[in-house]
Amino acid sequence: SLGASFVGTLPLLASNYQEDFQISPYSPVSRLFWNEIYLDLQSLTEIYASPELTELLARPDVQDTRESLNKLRLVDYAAVSRVKRSILECIAKTAWQSQKSALLGAIEDDPELHRYAAFRATAETRAVTWPSWPKEMQTRDLQPGDYEEDAYRYHVFAQWACDSQLADLASQDCQLYLDLSVGVSGSSYDVWRYQSCFVEGIDVGAPPDGLFEGGQNWALPPLHPERSREVGHEYFAQCVRAHMKHAGMLRIDHVMGLHRLYWVPSELGATEGLYVRYPAEELYAILLIESQRQKCALVGEDLGTVPDGVRPAMEEAGMHRLYVGQFSTQWREEEQFLGLECPPAAAIASLDTHDRA
């Protein structure tokens, strides 16, 4: 109603808010699936009303918890996740009764959804991340005996509901501007699912620069450029398709990663890394094909240490750059503000970023 054409978000990707996980939208459980913490509960409680749900929502402890969480200045993601989980579990049971054929159809149409739900349910059933599972479970397809059925059904429903609500948002006049993170957690579904494509014992990061003099270690395992190429960059393409299914504009976090990534051995500091090159032309080709196929504009996060060839490649691909007001101020020596630098054509402008807000 205010005239916006796009609404931008941080990554809306699947996360795990247990105490031993890093709570960050840029260290997700998967770049293929969504975070149910963002589901609109109001609409779901109306669609899947039941006596059990009414009783749960009326409980004083649930009402008090929701009220106290809403008053916080900062989001307590772990606490919000717990209370939403209890409500969504109740909703999921009703949905599996009334929408069973649709949910089974979603699994049949997307075998990846079955694998993801089985993975999340197994991790919850065993209460440890997959690197701590028995060796034979780390590499085989998971079976119903590996996990509790209710947990599996919960994750199927949660993703089905996320996909439905995102589709509803994407159909509005104001489009979604989504954010594709540069990687995933080492204990994520994606690393378990595509183990041969990821590199063990290495983290992605950034070298020392003006913002972070000690460099950065993002604790994200990198894709192996040659092994990814051997399978046609299947995983990267799936990540792009999952986002562009709902996005009118997609931000590629750390777009320099299409060209090279800063690899840091896990046991060393962020100043001890080195750059590894990636087949940029092939990765751009995937982005451009999917951009045309799904009518989704592309934005590259070109901030930080940017190699000379990156911005010309972005321009050739028709990918928008970023312009950040906080990084574009001009000053005299006596601290007199002179204004902002002129932004490049067709850039996506903002006052600041998630790193500096």
Side-chain angles (χ1 to χ4, degrees):
S1 63
L2 297 177
S5 299
F6 289 91
V7 171
T9 75
L10 295 178
L12 301 180
L13 296 169
S15 296
N16 190 326
Y17 298 111
Q18 295 177 9
E19 291 182 1
D20 56 341
F21 279 79
Q22 178 186 3
I23 298 178
S24 168
Y26 290 95
S27 182
V29 173
S30 176
R31 294 198 294 173
L32 300 169
F33 294 96
W34 308 107
N35 189 344
E36 66 268 26
I37 200 173
Y38 298 118
L39 280 170
D40 173 20
L41 286 184
Q42 183 63 39
S43 63
L44 291 175
T45 55
E46 293 172 359
I47 296 170
Y48 300 106
S50 69
E52 293 78 12
L53 180 60
T54 300
E55 181 180 350
L56 174 63
L57 294 176
R59 278 172 37 185
D61 61 321
V62 174
Q63 291 183 344
D64 291 345
T65 299
R66 295 179 73 182
E67 184 177 350
S68 63
L69 290 173
N70 282 329
K71 290 179 179 178
L72 295 178
R73 187 176 68 87
L74 299 177
V75 177
D76 183 342
Y77 284 96
V80 171
S81 176
R82 287 193 295 270
V83 71
K84 278 202 165 186
R85 175 67 180 253
S86 65
I87 296 170
L88 285 170
E89 283 178 339
C90 187
I91 292 172
K93 290 179 181 179
T94 302
W96 271 98
Q97 295 171 358
S98 62
Q99 299 285 341
K100 185 175 181 178
S101 61
L103 290 163
L104 291 175
I107 297 170
E108 185 176 351
D109 292 341
D110 183 8
E112 203 69 45
L113 172 59
H114 161 71
R115 295 189 188 97
Y116 172 78
F119 172 86
R120 293 297 304 272
T122 300
E124 292 170 3
T125 300
R126 303 191 70 87
V128 291
T129 57
W130 73 264
S132 298
W133 295 354
K135 288 294 183 183
E136 56 95 16
M137 286 182 62
Q138 293 182 16
T139 54
R140 67 164 169 81
D141 287 341
L142 298 172
Q143 309 298 325
D146 296 325
Y147 51 81
E148 295 179 0
E149 183 66 16
D150 284 348
Y152 170 81
R153 289 189 167 202
Y154 165 80
H155 284 290
V156 170
F157 168 76
Q159 291 306 312
W160 184 72
C162 284
D163 198 63
S164 175
Q165 291 194 357
L166 282 169
D168 288 343
L169 288 173
S171 68
Q172 306 299 315
D173 292 336
C174 188
Q175 295 180 283
L176 292 173
Y177 170 26
L178 296 183
D179 193 349
L180 176 61
S181 66
V182 72
V184 290
S185 163
S187 56
S188 66
Y189 166 76
D190 297 10
V191 176
W192 172 80
R193 174 75 172 87
Y194 294 94
Q195 290 178 51
S196 64
C197 290
F198 286 87
V199 184
E200 291 186 28
I202 299 291
D203 295 322
V204 173
D209 59 22
L211 288 179
F212 299 94
E213 294 182 359
Q216 300 176 66
N217 184 331
W218 301 330
L220 308 171
L223 282 170
H224 192 293
E226 293 302 323
R227 290 187 217 146
S228 178
R229 171 187 257 172
E230 288 170 2
V231 293
H233 304 296
E234 175 191 3
Y235 166 67
F236 177 71
Q238 284 200 51
C239 294
V240 173
R241 291 187 194 115
H243 283 72
M244 288 189 177
K245 180 180 178 182
H246 301 299
M249 185 180 291
L250 179 62
R251 175 187 182 271
I252 307 301
D253 184 36
H254 193 67
V255 72
M256 293 78 78
L258 301 176
H259 299 254
R260 68 183 191 182
L261 280 174
Y262 187 70
W263 286 20
V264 182
S266 299
E267 68 275 10
L268 299 180
T271 59
E272 304 298 321
L274 54 78
Y275 280 109
V276 174
R277 294 194 176 277
Y278 283 75
E281 289 188 2
E282 297 167 18
L283 301 177
Y284 275 107
I286 290 170
L287 286 167
L288 295 179
I289 289 169
E290 295 302 326
S291 173
Q292 289 294 318
R293 182 177 289 163
Q294 303 199 54
K295 308 302 180 188
C296 179
L298 285 167
V299 181
E301 188 254 309
D302 57 335
L303 306 175
T305 303
V306 183
D308 290 342
V310 171
R311 286 174 178 142
M314 292 172 62
E315 183 177 0
E316 183 179 354
M319 183 182 292
H320 299 285
R321 289 179 52 185
L322 288 185
Y323 173 84
V324 180
Q326 193 171 6
F327 301 153
S328 305
T329 56
Q330 296 177 310
W331 300 82
R332 290 184 190 266
E333 289 186 5
E334 58 270 24
E335 298 187 357
Q336 179 186 1
F337 178 59
L338 299 179
L340 296 175
E341 298 173 358
C342 184
I348 304 301
S350 63
L351 295 176
D352 52 26
T353 74
H354 64 271
D355 287 321
R356 304 289 287 178

PDB file of all heavy atoms in Angstrom, residues 107-136:
ATOM      1  N   ILE A 107       5.221 -35.339  -1.435  1.00  0.00           N
ATOM      2  CA  ILE A 107       6.379 -36.228  -1.275  1.00  0.00           C
ATOM      3  C   ILE A 107       6.669 -36.954  -2.584  1.00  0.00           C
ATOM      4  O   ILE A 107       7.824 -37.091  -3.002  1.00  0.00           O
ATOM      5  CB  ILE A 107       6.125 -37.240  -0.149  1.00  0.00           C
ATOM      6  CG1 ILE A 107       5.946 -36.520   1.189  1.00  0.00           C
ATOM      7  CG2 ILE A 107       7.255 -38.259  -0.060  1.00  0.00           C
ATOM      8  CD1 ILE A 107       5.445 -37.418   2.299  1.00  0.00           C
ATOM      9  N   GLU A 108       5.607 -37.417  -3.250  1.00  0.00           N
ATOM     10  CA  GLU A 108       5.776 -38.134  -4.519  1.00  0.00           C
ATOM     11  C   GLU A 108       6.350 -37.219  -5.595  1.00  0.00           C
ATOM     12  O   GLU A 108       7.211 -37.624  -6.381  1.00  0.00           O
ATOM     13  CB  GLU A 108       4.439 -38.713  -4.979  1.00  0.00           C
ATOM     14  CG  GLU A 108       4.539 -39.569  -6.228  1.00  0.00           C
ATOM     15  CD  GLU A 108       3.214 -40.200  -6.608  1.00  0.00           C
ATOM     16  OE1 GLU A 108       2.260 -40.116  -5.809  1.00  0.00           O
ATOM     17  OE2 GLU A 108       3.132 -40.780  -7.707  1.00  0.00           O
ATOM     18  N   ASP A 109       5.897 -35.962  -5.616  1.00  0.00           N
ATOM     19  CA  ASP A 109       6.373 -35.016  -6.626  1.00  0.00           C
ATOM     20  C   ASP A 109       7.805 -34.565  -6.363  1.00  0.00           C
ATOM     21  O   ASP A 109       8.521 -34.180  -7.299  1.00  0.00           O
ATOM     22  CB  ASP A 109       5.455 -33.776  -6.662  1.00  0.00           C
ATOM     23  CG  ASP A 109       4.074 -34.096  -7.192  1.00  0.00           C
ATOM     24  OD1 ASP A 109       3.918 -35.141  -7.855  1.00  0.00           O
ATOM     25  OD2 ASP A 109       3.144 -33.305  -6.925  1.00  0.00           O
ATOM     26  N   ASP A 110       8.226 -34.590  -5.107  1.00  0.00           N
ATOM     27  CA  ASP A 110       9.550 -34.082  -4.748  1.00  0.00           C
ATOM     28  C   ASP A 110      10.222 -35.059  -3.783  1.00  0.00           C
ATOM     29  O   ASP A 110      10.108 -34.917  -2.567  1.00  0.00           O
ATOM     30  CB  ASP A 110       9.433 -32.698  -4.102  1.00  0.00           C
ATOM     31  CG  ASP A 110      10.790 -32.085  -3.776  1.00  0.00           C
ATOM     32  OD1 ASP A 110      11.814 -32.656  -4.177  1.00  0.00           O
ATOM     33  OD2 ASP A 110      10.817 -31.037  -3.102  1.00  0.00           O
ATOM     34  N   PRO A 111      10.946 -36.051  -4.311  1.00  0.00           N
ATOM     35  CA  PRO A 111      11.633 -37.006  -3.429  1.00  0.00           C
ATOM     36  C   PRO A 111      12.613 -36.334  -2.471  1.00  0.00           C
ATOM     37  O   PRO A 111      12.906 -36.871  -1.403  1.00  0.00           O
ATOM     38  CB  PRO A 111      12.378 -37.921  -4.416  1.00  0.00           C
ATOM     39  CG  PRO A 111      11.624 -37.793  -5.705  1.00  0.00           C
ATOM     40  CD  PRO A 111      11.122 -36.384  -5.733  1.00  0.00           C
ATOM     41  N   GLU A 112      13.114 -35.136  -2.836  1.00  0.00           N
ATOM     42  CA  GLU A 112      14.030 -34.412  -1.959  1.00  0.00           C
ATOM     43  C   GLU A 112      13.327 -34.029  -0.656  1.00  0.00           C
ATOM     44  O   GLU A 112      13.955 -33.979   0.404  1.00  0.00           O
ATOM     45  CB  GLU A 112      14.548 -33.166  -2.656  1.00  0.00           C
ATOM     46  CG  GLU A 112      15.871 -32.648  -2.125  1.00  0.00           C
ATOM     47  CD  GLU A 112      17.036 -33.566  -2.454  1.00  0.00           C
ATOM     48  OE1 GLU A 112      17.145 -34.030  -3.599  1.00  0.00           O
ATOM     49  OE2 GLU A 112      17.842 -33.811  -1.540  1.00  0.00           O
ATOM     50  N   LEU A 113      12.014 -33.757  -0.732  1.00  0.00           N
ATOM     51  CA  LEU A 113      11.248 -33.421   0.474  1.00  0.00           C
ATOM     52  C   LEU A 113      11.224 -34.605   1.423  1.00  0.00           C
ATOM     53  O   LEU A 113      11.379 -34.433   2.643  1.00  0.00           O
ATOM     54  CB  LEU A 113       9.825 -33.011   0.087  1.00  0.00           C
ATOM     55  CG  LEU A 113       8.838 -32.805   1.235  1.00  0.00           C
ATOM     56  CD1 LEU A 113       9.323 -31.731   2.200  1.00  0.00           C
ATOM     57  CD2 LEU A 113       7.455 -32.427   0.685  1.00  0.00           C
ATOM     58  N   HIS A 114      11.048 -35.809   0.891  1.00  0.00           N
ATOM     59  CA  HIS A 114      11.073 -37.010   1.737  1.00  0.00           C
ATOM     60  C   HIS A 114      12.432 -37.152   2.416  1.00  0.00           C
ATOM     61  O   HIS A 114      12.510 -37.406   3.629  1.00  0.00           O
ATOM     62  CB  HIS A 114      10.777 -38.253   0.900  1.00  0.00           C
ATOM     63  CG  HIS A 114      11.207 -39.532   1.557  1.00  0.00           C
ATOM     64  ND1 HIS A 114      10.558 -40.060   2.653  1.00  0.00           N
ATOM     65  CD2 HIS A 114      12.269 -40.362   1.293  1.00  0.00           C
ATOM     66  CE1 HIS A 114      11.176 -41.174   3.038  1.00  0.00           C
ATOM     67  NE2 HIS A 114      12.214 -41.370   2.241  1.00  0.00           N
ATOM     68  N   ARG A 115      13.516 -36.993   1.648  1.00  0.00           N
ATOM     69  CA  ARG A 115      14.855 -37.154   2.223  1.00  0.00           C
ATOM     70  C   ARG A 115      15.111 -36.116   3.317  1.00  0.00           C
ATOM     71  O   ARG A 115      15.681 -36.427   4.360  1.00  0.00           O
ATOM     72  CB  ARG A 115      15.913 -37.035   1.122  1.00  0.00           C
ATOM     73  CG  ARG A 115      15.874 -38.132   0.073  1.00  0.00           C
ATOM     74  CD  ARG A 115      17.089 -38.038  -0.825  1.00  0.00           C
ATOM     75  NE  ARG A 115      16.996 -38.956  -1.955  1.00  0.00           N
ATOM     76  CZ  ARG A 115      16.567 -38.621  -3.168  1.00  0.00           C
ATOM     77  NH1 ARG A 115      16.202 -37.362  -3.411  1.00  0.00           N
ATOM     78  NH2 ARG A 115      16.504 -39.502  -4.125  1.00  0.00           N
ATOM     79  N   TYR A 116      14.690 -34.866   3.054  1.00  0.00           N
ATOM     80  CA  TYR A 116      14.902 -33.804   4.034  1.00  0.00           C
ATOM     81  C   TYR A 116      14.133 -34.081   5.321  1.00  0.00           C
ATOM     82  O   TYR A 116      14.688 -33.964   6.427  1.00  0.00           O
ATOM     83  CB  TYR A 116      14.478 -32.462   3.450  1.00  0.00           C
ATOM     84  CG  TYR A 116      14.490 -31.335   4.460  1.00  0.00           C
ATOM     85  CD1 TYR A 116      15.679 -30.723   4.837  1.00  0.00           C
ATOM     86  CD2 TYR A 116      13.303 -30.890   5.055  1.00  0.00           C
ATOM     87  CE1 TYR A 116      15.697 -29.701   5.778  1.00  0.00           C
ATOM     88  CE2 TYR A 116      13.316 -29.865   5.993  1.00  0.00           C
ATOM     89  CZ  TYR A 116      14.506 -29.279   6.342  1.00  0.00           C
ATOM     90  OH  TYR A 116      14.519 -28.278   7.277  1.00  0.00           O
ATOM     91  N   ALA A 117      12.851 -34.431   5.207  1.00  0.00           N
ATOM     92  CA  ALA A 117      12.030 -34.700   6.393  1.00  0.00           C
ATOM     93  C   ALA A 117      12.586 -35.889   7.170  1.00  0.00           C
ATOM     94  O   ALA A 117      12.613 -35.875   8.416  1.00  0.00           O
ATOM     95  CB  ALA A 117      10.581 -34.954   5.984  1.00  0.00           C
ATOM     96  N   ALA A 118      13.046 -36.923   6.467  1.00  0.00           N
ATOM     97  CA  ALA A 118      13.639 -38.083   7.134  1.00  0.00           C
ATOM     98  C   ALA A 118      14.927 -37.692   7.847  1.00  0.00           C
ATOM     99  O   ALA A 118      15.199 -38.157   8.969  1.00  0.00           O
ATOM    100  CB  ALA A 118      13.906 -39.187   6.113  1.00  0.00           C
ATOM    101  N   PHE A 119      15.735 -36.831   7.219  1.00  0.00           N
ATOM    102  CA  PHE A 119      16.983 -36.373   7.830  1.00  0.00           C
ATOM    103  C   PHE A 119      16.709 -35.591   9.102  1.00  0.00           C
ATOM    104  O   PHE A 119      17.316 -35.842  10.152  1.00  0.00           O
ATOM    105  CB  PHE A 119      17.747 -35.508   6.823  1.00  0.00           C
ATOM    106  CG  PHE A 119      18.952 -34.815   7.395  1.00  0.00           C
ATOM    107  CD1 PHE A 119      20.182 -35.450   7.448  1.00  0.00           C
ATOM    108  CD2 PHE A 119      18.868 -33.512   7.890  1.00  0.00           C
ATOM    109  CE1 PHE A 119      21.293 -34.823   7.982  1.00  0.00           C
ATOM    110  CE2 PHE A 119      19.971 -32.872   8.422  1.00  0.00           C
ATOM    111  CZ  PHE A 119      21.197 -33.527   8.472  1.00  0.00           C
ATOM    112  N   ARG A 120      15.802 -34.613   9.039  1.00  0.00           N
ATOM    113  CA  ARG A 120      15.510 -33.786  10.218  1.00  0.00           C
ATOM    114  C   ARG A 120      14.910 -34.640  11.323  1.00  0.00           C
ATOM    115  O   ARG A 120      15.235 -34.463  12.511  1.00  0.00           O
ATOM    116  CB  ARG A 120      14.560 -32.649   9.844  1.00  0.00           C
ATOM    117  CG  ARG A 120      15.132 -31.608   8.896  1.00  0.00           C
ATOM    118  CD  ARG A 120      16.322 -30.850   9.481  1.00  0.00           C
ATOM    119  NE  ARG A 120      16.041 -30.207  10.738  1.00  0.00           N
ATOM    120  CZ  ARG A 120      15.546 -28.971  10.870  1.00  0.00           C
ATOM    121  NH1 ARG A 120      15.275 -28.260   9.781  1.00  0.00           N
ATOM    122  NH2 ARG A 120      15.340 -28.441  12.059  1.00  0.00           N
ATOM    123  N   ALA A 121      14.023 -35.570  10.963  1.00  0.00           N
ATOM    124  CA  ALA A 121      13.392 -36.425  11.968  1.00  0.00           C
ATOM    125  C   ALA A 121      14.413 -37.350  12.618  1.00  0.00           C
ATOM    126  O   ALA A 121      14.366 -37.596  13.829  1.00  0.00           O
ATOM    127  CB  ALA A 121      12.265 -37.233  11.339  1.00  0.00           C
ATOM    128  N   THR A 122      15.361 -37.856  11.836  1.00  0.00           N
ATOM    129  CA  THR A 122      16.399 -38.738  12.382  1.00  0.00           C
ATOM    130  C   THR A 122      17.304 -37.980  13.341  1.00  0.00           C
ATOM    131  O   THR A 122      17.651 -38.481  14.421  1.00  0.00           O
ATOM    132  CB  THR A 122      17.226 -39.353  11.242  1.00  0.00           C
ATOM    133  OG1 THR A 122      16.371 -40.109  10.386  1.00  0.00           O
ATOM    134  CG2 THR A 122      18.322 -40.265  11.796  1.00  0.00           C
ATOM    135  N   ALA A 123      17.697 -36.755  12.966  1.00  0.00           N
ATOM    136  CA  ALA A 123      18.538 -35.937  13.839  1.00  0.00           C
ATOM    137  C   ALA A 123      17.827 -35.653  15.163  1.00  0.00           C
ATOM    138  O   ALA A 123      18.459 -35.659  16.235  1.00  0.00           O
ATOM    139  CB  ALA A 123      18.910 -34.638  13.139  1.00  0.00           C
ATOM    140  N   GLU A 124      16.528 -35.415  15.107  1.00  0.00           N
ATOM    141  CA  GLU A 124      15.769 -35.144  16.327  1.00  0.00           C
ATOM    142  C   GLU A 124      15.581 -36.406  17.156  1.00  0.00           C
ATOM    143  O   GLU A 124      15.654 -36.375  18.392  1.00  0.00           O
ATOM    144  CB  GLU A 124      14.419 -34.533  15.963  1.00  0.00           C
ATOM    145  CG  GLU A 124      14.538 -33.130  15.384  1.00  0.00           C
ATOM    146  CD  GLU A 124      13.241 -32.598  14.801  1.00  0.00           C
ATOM    147  OE1 GLU A 124      12.213 -33.295  14.889  1.00  0.00           O
ATOM    148  OE2 GLU A 124      13.264 -31.484  14.260  1.00  0.00           O
ATOM    149  N   THR A 125      15.351 -37.532  16.482  1.00  0.00           N
ATOM    150  CA  THR A 125      15.153 -38.795  17.191  1.00  0.00           C
ATOM    151  C   THR A 125      16.420 -39.219  17.915  1.00  0.00           C
ATOM    152  O   THR A 125      16.381 -39.675  19.064  1.00  0.00           O
ATOM    153  CB  THR A 125      14.703 -39.892  16.210  1.00  0.00           C
ATOM    154  OG1 THR A 125      13.461 -39.504  15.600  1.00  0.00           O
ATOM    155  CG2 THR A 125      14.517 -41.223  16.931  1.00  0.00           C
ATOM    156  N   ARG A 126      17.572 -39.055  17.253  1.00  0.00           N
ATOM    157  CA  ARG A 126      18.850 -39.456  17.841  1.00  0.00           C
ATOM    158  C   ARG A 126      19.453 -38.363  18.720  1.00  0.00           C
ATOM    159  O   ARG A 126      20.388 -38.613  19.481  1.00  0.00           O
ATOM    160  CB  ARG A 126      19.838 -39.848  16.739  1.00  0.00           C
ATOM    161  CG  ARG A 126      19.342 -40.958  15.826  1.00  0.00           C
ATOM    162  CD  ARG A 126      20.453 -41.477  14.944  1.00  0.00           C
ATOM    163  NE  ARG A 126      21.432 -42.221  15.732  1.00  0.00           N
ATOM    164  CZ  ARG A 126      21.340 -43.517  16.028  1.00  0.00           C
ATOM    165  NH1 ARG A 126      20.296 -44.223  15.607  1.00  0.00           N
ATOM    166  NH2 ARG A 126      22.272 -44.115  16.745  1.00  0.00           N
ATOM    167  N   ALA A 127      18.949 -37.124  18.590  1.00  0.00           N
ATOM    168  CA  ALA A 127      19.394 -35.980  19.404  1.00  0.00           C
ATOM    169  C   ALA A 127      20.869 -35.655  19.215  1.00  0.00           C
ATOM    170  O   ALA A 127      21.506 -35.092  20.112  1.00  0.00           O
ATOM    171  CB  ALA A 127      19.085 -36.221  20.884  1.00  0.00           C
ATOM    172  N   VAL A 128      21.409 -35.986  18.037  1.00  0.00           N
ATOM    173  CA  VAL A 128      22.784 -35.615  17.685  1.00  0.00           C
ATOM    174  C   VAL A 128      22.809 -35.285  16.191  1.00  0.00           C
ATOM    175  O   VAL A 128      21.948 -35.719  15.422  1.00  0.00           O
ATOM    176  CB  VAL A 128      23.803 -36.738  17.975  1.00  0.00           C
ATOM    177  CG1 VAL A 128      23.972 -36.943  19.468  1.00  0.00           C
ATOM    178  CG2 VAL A 128      23.420 -38.023  17.273  1.00  0.00           C
ATOM    179  N   THR A 129      23.812 -34.508  15.784  1.00  0.00           N
ATOM    180  CA  THR A 129      23.954 -34.172  14.368  1.00  0.00           C
ATOM    181  C   THR A 129      24.495 -35.370  13.593  1.00  0.00           C
ATOM    182  O   THR A 129      25.093 -36.289  14.172  1.00  0.00           O
ATOM    183  CB  THR A 129      24.886 -32.970  14.186  1.00  0.00           C
ATOM    184  OG1 THR A 129      26.152 -33.272  14.789  1.00  0.00           O
ATOM    185  CG2 THR A 129      24.302 -31.730  14.864  1.00  0.00           C
ATOM    186  N   TRP A 130      24.325 -35.332  12.266  1.00  0.00           N
ATOM    187  CA  TRP A 130      24.625 -36.532  11.472  1.00  0.00           C
ATOM    188  C   TRP A 130      26.089 -36.990  11.534  1.00  0.00           C
ATOM    189  O   TRP A 130      26.334 -38.206  11.419  1.00  0.00           O
ATOM    190  CB  TRP A 130      24.166 -36.343  10.034  1.00  0.00           C
ATOM    191  CG  TRP A 130      24.983 -35.420   9.178  1.00  0.00           C
ATOM    192  CD1 TRP A 130      24.741 -34.116   8.929  1.00  0.00           C
ATOM    193  CD2 TRP A 130      26.165 -35.749   8.449  1.00  0.00           C
ATOM    194  NE1 TRP A 130      25.698 -33.586   8.098  1.00  0.00           N
ATOM    195  CE2 TRP A 130      26.584 -34.570   7.782  1.00  0.00           C
ATOM    196  CE3 TRP A 130      26.925 -36.908   8.288  1.00  0.00           C
ATOM    197  CZ2 TRP A 130      27.718 -34.528   6.977  1.00  0.00           C
ATOM    198  CZ3 TRP A 130      28.059 -36.868   7.481  1.00  0.00           C
ATOM    199  CH2 TRP A 130      28.443 -35.692   6.838  1.00  0.00           C
ATOM    200  N   PRO A 131      27.090 -36.113  11.719  1.00  0.00           N
ATOM    201  CA  PRO A 131      28.449 -36.652  11.837  1.00  0.00           C
ATOM    202  C   PRO A 131      28.639 -37.569  13.052  1.00  0.00           C
ATOM    203  O   PRO A 131      29.633 -38.304  13.114  1.00  0.00           O
ATOM    204  CB  PRO A 131      29.313 -35.385  11.958  1.00  0.00           C
ATOM    205  CG  PRO A 131      28.524 -34.318  11.256  1.00  0.00           C
ATOM    206  CD  PRO A 131      27.104 -34.628  11.628  1.00  0.00           C
ATOM    207  N   SER A 132      27.695 -37.535  14.004  1.00  0.00           N
ATOM    208  CA  SER A 132      27.771 -38.405  15.186  1.00  0.00           C
ATOM    209  C   SER A 132      26.879 -39.636  15.060  1.00  0.00           C
ATOM    210  O   SER A 132      26.794 -40.441  16.006  1.00  0.00           O
ATOM    211  CB  SER A 132      27.380 -37.621  16.449  1.00  0.00           C
ATOM    212  OG  SER A 132      28.268 -36.544  16.675  1.00  0.00           O
ATOM    213  N   TRP A 133      26.206 -39.796  13.929  1.00  0.00           N
ATOM    214  CA  TRP A 133      25.411 -41.005  13.709  1.00  0.00           C
ATOM    215  C   TRP A 133      26.341 -42.198  13.483  1.00  0.00           C
ATOM    216  O   TRP A 133      27.531 -42.024  13.153  1.00  0.00           O
ATOM    217  CB  TRP A 133      24.517 -40.840  12.469  1.00  0.00           C
ATOM    218  CG  TRP A 133      23.469 -39.787  12.570  1.00  0.00           C
ATOM    219  CD1 TRP A 133      23.135 -39.042  13.662  1.00  0.00           C
ATOM    220  CD2 TRP A 133      22.621 -39.332  11.514  1.00  0.00           C
ATOM    221  NE1 TRP A 133      22.131 -38.167  13.355  1.00  0.00           N
ATOM    222  CE2 TRP A 133      21.789 -38.314  12.045  1.00  0.00           C
ATOM    223  CE3 TRP A 133      22.474 -39.676  10.173  1.00  0.00           C
ATOM    224  CZ2 TRP A 133      20.834 -37.654  11.282  1.00  0.00           C
ATOM    225  CZ3 TRP A 133      21.520 -39.027   9.404  1.00  0.00           C
ATOM    226  CH2 TRP A 133      20.707 -38.024   9.954  1.00  0.00           C
ATOM    227  N   PRO A 134      25.804 -43.415  13.609  1.00  0.00           N
ATOM    228  CA  PRO A 134      26.591 -44.595  13.223  1.00  0.00           C
ATOM    229  C   PRO A 134      27.074 -44.464  11.773  1.00  0.00           C
ATOM    230  O   PRO A 134      26.371 -43.923  10.922  1.00  0.00           O
ATOM    231  CB  PRO A 134      25.584 -45.738  13.378  1.00  0.00           C
ATOM    232  CG  PRO A 134      24.605 -45.248  14.395  1.00  0.00           C
ATOM    233  CD  PRO A 134      24.487 -43.773  14.173  1.00  0.00           C
ATOM    234  N   LYS A 135      28.279 -44.948  11.501  1.00  0.00           N
ATOM    235  CA  LYS A 135      28.899 -44.766  10.191  1.00  0.00           C
ATOM    236  C   LYS A 135      28.004 -45.215   9.046  1.00  0.00           C
ATOM    237  O   LYS A 135      27.894 -44.554   8.009  1.00  0.00           O
ATOM    238  CB  LYS A 135      30.222 -45.540  10.130  1.00  0.00           C
ATOM    239  CG  LYS A 135      31.340 -44.924  10.963  1.00  0.00           C
ATOM    240  CD  LYS A 135      31.754 -43.563  10.402  1.00  0.00           C
ATOM    241  CE  LYS A 135      32.922 -42.980  11.180  1.00  0.00           C
ATOM    242  NZ  LYS A 135      33.292 -41.629  10.693  1.00  0.00           N
ATOM    243  N   GLU A 136      27.332 -46.331   9.215  1.00  0.00           N
ATOM    244  CA  GLU A 136      26.519 -46.849   8.112  1.00  0.00           C
ATOM    245  C   GLU A 136      25.291 -45.982   7.831  1.00  0.00           C
ATOM    246  O   GLU A 136      24.753 -45.989   6.735  1.00  0.00           O
ATOM    247  CB  GLU A 136      26.092 -48.292   8.399  1.00  0.00           C
ATOM    248  CG  GLU A 136      25.348 -48.498   9.712  1.00  0.00           C
ATOM    249  CD  GLU A 136      23.822 -48.462   9.535  1.00  0.00           C
ATOM    250  OE1 GLU A 136      23.375 -48.574   8.376  1.00  0.00           O
ATOM    251  OE2 GLU A 136      23.106 -48.319  10.539  1.00  0.00           O
TER     252      GLU A 136
END
